[in-house]
Amino acid sequence: MHHHLKDKQRKPLDEDSLRQLALYYVGRYATSSKKLSEYLKRKINQSGWIGTAPPDIYAIISYCINLGYINDPLFAEMKYNAFKRRGYGKIRVKSALKAAGIDEKIIDSLTENNDSAMETALHYAKKRHLGPFYEKEDRDDIKIKRRHFAAMARAGHSADVIARIFKINIEDLES
């Protein structure tokens, strides 16, 4: 029974084991440099550190970038496209990319093209039966409209885009 306790005790990390953890992590998950950095710091806090010099997390991240395992612009683009497919608006997408530690310049280059805002919002409204796509008798109830508006806003669509979507007449769309 006693030896199980010893297995639970984590061995303190050194430069080599930290690099191994990093490679394992980037091998399993598409990630950003910020997320990898947070992961490594968490592991050091959990296990302790036995290296003589303080851990050089930046060097390990550079190593992973040079190997091509971490590519923030590519990661951002993947995330961006996934959010778009789910019908999320610019505001929600930007905050998610920011949370992943993606550089502001990369985020702006992805989100500055705003032609798709109406298209994405329309897709989201259709998929979730909101606004003009809500087909129940109480569709003109102000409470329903407010709830739909709030749902679209939470999905990251701007107020003016939502207002434009809600003015659409479905019959016009289908002709």
Side-chain angles (χ1 to χ4, degrees), residues 100-166:
I102 300 301
D103 185 83
E104 204 70 48
K105 287 190 210 73
I106 298 171
I107 295 175
D108 290 343
S109 73
L110 283 172
T111 56
E112 72 194 5
N113 165 6
N114 212 5
D115 340 323
S116 59
M118 276 299 285
E119 202 180 303
T120 309
L122 202 58
H123 169 72
Y124 189 80
K126 200 179 242 171
K127 196 171 81 176
R128 306 287 301 274
H129 303 287
L130 301 172
F133 302 99
Y134 181 69
E135 286 157 15
K136 294 203 176 107
E137 312 73 67
D138 58 353
R139 70 181 303 168
D140 293 321
D141 181 340
I142 190 70
K143 280 201 201 92
I144 298 282
K145 284 187 168 161
R146 280 198 192 119
R147 202 160 62 227
H148 289 192
F149 198 96
M152 300 268 313
R154 279 193 305 276
H157 299 287
S158 67
D160 57 312
V161 168
I162 300 170
R164 279 163 53 203
I165 296 286
F166 281 22

Side-chain angles (χ1 to χ4, degrees), residues 25-26 29-39 61 65 69-73 75-76 79 96-103:
Y25 187 78
V26 297
Y29 307 103
T31 192
S32 65
S33 41
K34 178 186 178 206
K35 286 202 178 244
L36 177 61
S37 166
E38 288 168 353
Y39 170 77
I61 290 169
I65 290 171
Y69 293 136
I70 289 186
N71 181 333
D72 284 357
F75 173 78
K79 276 277 193 232
L97 291 175
K98 206 181 222 133
I102 300 301
D103 185 83

Side-chain angles (χ1 to χ4, degrees), residues 3-139:
H3 64 278
H4 288 314
L5 277 173
K6 212 167 77 189
D7 295 343
K8 284 271 182 271
Q9 212 69 62
R10 290 194 177 92
K11 280 204 292 275
L13 299 165
D14 59 19
E15 203 68 50
D16 199 45
S17 52
L18 195 62
R19 184 178 292 112
Q20 290 306 317
L21 271 176
L23 290 172
Y24 173 74
Y25 187 78
V26 297
R28 286 195 60 184
Y29 307 103
T31 192
S32 65
S33 41
K34 178 186 178 206
K35 286 202 178 244
L36 177 61
S37 166
E38 288 168 353
Y39 170 77
L40 294 175
K41 286 174 184 160
R42 196 167 60 245
K43 287 297 176 190
I44 292 166
N45 287 337
Q46 288 169 350
S47 304
W49 180 253
I50 51 170
T52 44
D56 190 350
I57 290 176
Y58 182 74
I60 291 175
I61 290 169
S62 298
Y63 175 74
C64 292
I65 290 171
N66 291 335
L67 288 174
Y69 293 136
I70 289 186
N71 181 333
D72 284 357
L74 195 65
F75 173 78
E77 196 178 334
M78 270 173 24
K79 276 277 193 232
Y80 174 77
N81 290 330
F83 277 115
K84 281 296 193 205
R85 277 194 305 278
R86 289 164 62 194
Y88 288 123
K90 187 174 174 175
I91 302 161
R92 174 88 180 262
V93 174
K94 277 183 124 163
S95 76
L97 291 175
K98 206 181 222 133
I102 300 301
D103 185 83
E104 204 70 48
K105 287 190 210 73
I106 298 171
I107 295 175
D108 290 343
S109 73
L110 283 172
T111 56
E112 72 194 5
N113 165 6
N114 212 5
D115 340 323
S116 59
M118 276 299 285
E119 202 180 303
T120 309
L122 202 58
H123 169 72
Y124 189 80
K126 200 179 242 171
K127 196 171 81 176
R128 306 287 301 274
H129 303 287
L130 301 172
F133 302 99
Y134 181 69
E135 286 157 15
K136 294 203 176 107
E137 312 73 67
D138 58 353
R139 70 181 303 168

